[in-house]
Amino acid sequence: MAKTDELAVMENKPTETAEKPVKSNDAKQVIYLGPNSAELGLTTGTVYIDGIPAVVGEDKAMLRLLFVPINKIAEAQQELATEGTAMNAAYLEFKKGGRR
């Protein structure tokens, strides 16, 4: 009977996971917010779990601006919609055919 009482006590204890925030690998996960590109295989809204894909080389700085961490989507969409911001300029350039 002691074992039953012991289990009851253990079930009533708060667990450590309930008190700590859940950690994830969001830092590496990015979402592409630029226009679709069949040439590069990019589709708006695609989430990449290992960061920016290799097809987007280091030399494509403007295009790389259109990949944002998934936990920053709201801020990025606001910046994308604001005329004159770096993200807005990158989007417009890529849409008209620029591949930088």
Side-chain angles (χ1 to χ4, degrees):
M1 189 152 187
K3 286 185 180 179
T4 306
D5 292 338
E6 210 173 278
L7 289 175
V9 172
M10 288 178 63
E11 289 177 348
N12 290 332
K13 288 183 181 178
T15 60
E16 287 184 35
T17 55
E19 296 174 7
K20 293 181 181 177
V22 177
K23 292 185 179 181
S24 66
N25 291 330
D26 289 349
K28 290 180 74 176
Q29 295 179 352
V30 294
I31 186 168
Y32 175 64
L33 297 179
N36 294 340
S37 171
E39 177 185 329
L40 295 174
L42 300 174
T43 304
T44 305
T46 301
V47 174
Y48 297 90
I49 59 172
D50 289 324
I52 298 173
V55 70
V56 182
E58 295 293 327
D59 60 325
K60 296 182 175 145
M62 292 286 283
L63 181 56
R64 294 176 74 81
L65 289 174
L66 300 173
F67 290 87
V68 296
I70 59 170
N71 59 349
K72 303 281 186 193
I73 293 172
E75 296 94 340
Q77 287 177 326
Q78 186 174 9
E79 186 177 342
L80 195 58
T82 305
E83 192 173 327
T85 63
M87 280 191 74
N88 179 267
Y91 183 93
L92 294 174
E93 181 174 327
F94 191 69
K95 188 172 181 177
K96 73 176 182 179
R99 297 290 182 251
R100 299 187 292 149

